[in-house]
Amino acid sequence: MVRQTTKVIFFEILGGLSLLLIAAVVVLAIRLASGPVELQFLESRVERSLIDLRGGNNVEIDRLTLQWVPSTRRVEIVAYDVELYDSSDKPVGLGEQARIKLDAGALLTGYIDNLSANIEGGWLTAQNASEGIWIVAGTVLPEASGGELPETPSDWILAFNQQSSSIIQNVRDIGALIRMEAFSFDRMK
């Protein structure tokens, strides 16, 4: 009879788990090489997290996939035909594609936490509701102060020094509205 110590048993279990993890990564790589993987089981949860980020305004995703992107050499979650609605459920934007970055730690615990979304193609509404008040894709942006544009470089520097605190405050206000690390729109009409 062979007697094994606790250390040997621990390392055998650790080795078995490592092999299982490597096998899972290989299977995922082979599956992604043959094309995108549909993520229908996450679609409604990702929609819900985007709705929460937009202050309750509805968001609909036509298709959600996990895919290998050769240009960036990364595995990304990509949503297709992302429709944005305002508070009265009128369409205010459509993105042909949205690359969504989720927090892996939160995902492992069962929560969906968006870190960034890069929406490409499509269109957005932009409305000047009143002087200095803009509504973009159904979201009211913080009020921008008006004024005349400087004419000389020294006037630009002086104006920037005077307005830098309000610019920083506006960026903070926008950051409070959108709880993400990044949100961008590319090639929009």
Side-chain angles (χ1 to χ4, degrees):
M1 184 160 135
V2 177
R3 187 166 177 228
Q4 293 183 337
T5 64
T6 307
K7 190 186 319 183
V8 171
I9 293 171
F10 172 76
F11 283 118
E12 284 179 355
I13 292 172
L14 186 62
L17 290 175
S18 298
L19 287 175
L20 187 62
L21 180 64
I22 290 170
V25 169
V26 168
V27 167
L28 180 63
I30 290 170
R31 177 60 185 98
L32 287 174
S34 65
V37 177
E38 295 289 329
L39 297 176
Q40 291 178 343
F41 66 96
L42 282 180
E43 192 172 303
S44 63
R45 294 174 72 190
V46 170
E47 280 179 354
R48 182 75 236 157
S49 67
L50 290 172
I51 288 169
D52 291 342
L53 287 172
R54 295 195 68 238
N57 293 340
N58 198 17
V59 175
E60 291 181 5
I61 297 173
D62 184 46
R63 201 175 99 205
L64 188 67
T65 63
L66 181 69
Q67 63 187 35
W68 172 256
V69 181
S71 62
T72 61
R73 290 185 276 173
R74 292 185 178 184
V75 176
E76 293 182 351
I77 295 175
V78 180
Y80 293 94
D81 296 330
V82 179
E83 298 178 34
L84 307 173
Y85 296 91
D86 63 8
S87 57
S88 60
D89 277 341
K90 289 187 225 168
V92 292
L94 172 71
E96 294 170 2
Q97 226 183 57
R99 298 187 189 287
I100 300 171
K101 188 188 298 183
L102 300 176
D103 183 3
L107 197 58
L108 290 175
T109 60
Y111 296 102
I112 301 292
D113 188 16
N114 290 313
L115 295 179
S116 67
N118 182 6
I119 298 177
E120 300 173 356
W123 57 271
L124 288 174
T125 60
Q127 177 185 4
N128 187 358
S130 63
E131 185 66 35
I133 305 285
W134 283 86
I135 301 172
V136 177
T139 302
V140 179
L141 300 180
E143 185 174 352
S145 59
E148 294 182 20
L149 291 176
E151 294 180 10
T152 65
S154 61
D155 289 343
W156 276 102
I157 292 170
L158 181 63
F160 178 77
N161 288 336
Q162 292 172 346
Q163 296 296 323
S164 62
S165 63
S166 66
I167 290 170
I168 291 170
Q169 185 59 45
N170 284 343
V171 168
R172 286 184 184 145
D173 291 345
I174 291 171
L177 290 174
I178 301 173
R179 296 171 296 165
M180 293 184 131
E181 289 180 7
F183 198 90
S184 67
F185 296 100
D186 299 324
R187 295 181 287 128
M188 302 297 284
K189 294 179 186 175

